[in-house]
Amino acid sequence: MPRSLWFTLSFLLGLLALSGCTTVPAPTTEWDNHQAALEDINNFTAKGKVAFISPEQRVSANFLWKQRDDELSLRLTNFLGTTLLTLDATPNMAVLVDGEGQRYVDRNASTLLRNLTGVALPVDEMTQWIKGLPTEKNDITLGGDNRLAFLSENSADTNQPGWQVEYTAYDANTDSLLPSRIKMNQNTQKVNLVISEWIFPQ
């Protein structure tokens, strides 16, 4: 083998060995850092107003959303402070108590809420979406500030468009980390959220 070819092969093999031993981390972006900060927020309370709009009904209420890891509690009250319903949910069970104290149980929180009240709300996904954090299957659009501006959900069964979620404002009291206005729609169902306060355990 010619001496020059031998040196060339030795040099290339050396480069391959180095590349196999060295891992170059992917550069992080502002959006990556933002997502990581949101993923660390698992215990919180969000307060505000919500409107559920459909061809059959329009319901406006105050809401209190408490989330502790994978457990959540949603309470809706009217403008007088009277409880309209409470919904407590875990990944395996949901319990809804209506304004008259009647208790109902189902394995799926969204199904229970829709069947009893006619209100459509993707409860499981909302544990992420309410923070401005998409799930892995969502198509997303970022705003100029590298915050989530829009996400689109597709049905895993039909591959048809599901919920479309728009983030129109972020909360200044959290340094714009968390959203303050969210608009959601799916077909003829609409949900508008105005979050007035984020509360974190001391």
Side-chain angles (χ1 to χ4, degrees), residues 92-182:
N92 300 313
M93 179 179 289
V95 178
L96 186 149
V97 179
D98 65 19
E100 298 179 354
Q102 295 295 315
R103 185 174 182 271
Y104 305 89
V105 180
D106 195 285
R107 291 184 60 86
N108 184 275
S110 296
T111 301
L112 181 63
L113 185 64
R114 184 177 62 251
N115 289 344
L116 293 176
T117 68
V119 167
L121 186 69
V123 177
D124 290 341
E125 290 80 1
M126 281 297 294
T127 59
Q128 297 278 80
W129 294 352
I130 198 170
K131 299 187 294 183
L133 186 65
T135 67
E136 293 181 356
K137 297 181 180 180
N138 297 153
D139 294 327
I140 66 170
T141 301
L142 300 181
D145 57 357
N146 283 306
R147 302 290 189 265
L148 187 61
F150 182 83
L151 70 81
S152 176
E153 177 198 39
N154 289 325
S155 170
D157 298 326
T158 64
N159 201 33
Q160 296 298 311
W163 283 96
Q164 312 298 302
V165 184
E166 182 180 6
Y167 296 84
T168 59
Y170 279 79
D171 183 65
N173 292 323
T174 62
D175 294 326
S176 296
L177 177 65
L178 296 161
S180 59
R181 290 181 178 269
I182 306 172

Side-chain angles (χ1 to χ4, degrees), residues 18-40:
L18 285 173
S19 64
C21 297
T22 304
T23 300
V24 179
T28 58
T29 65
E30 187 174 344
W31 170 239
D32 292 329
N33 293 332
H34 182 70
Q35 285 190 95
L38 294 176
E39 288 168 353
D40 286 340

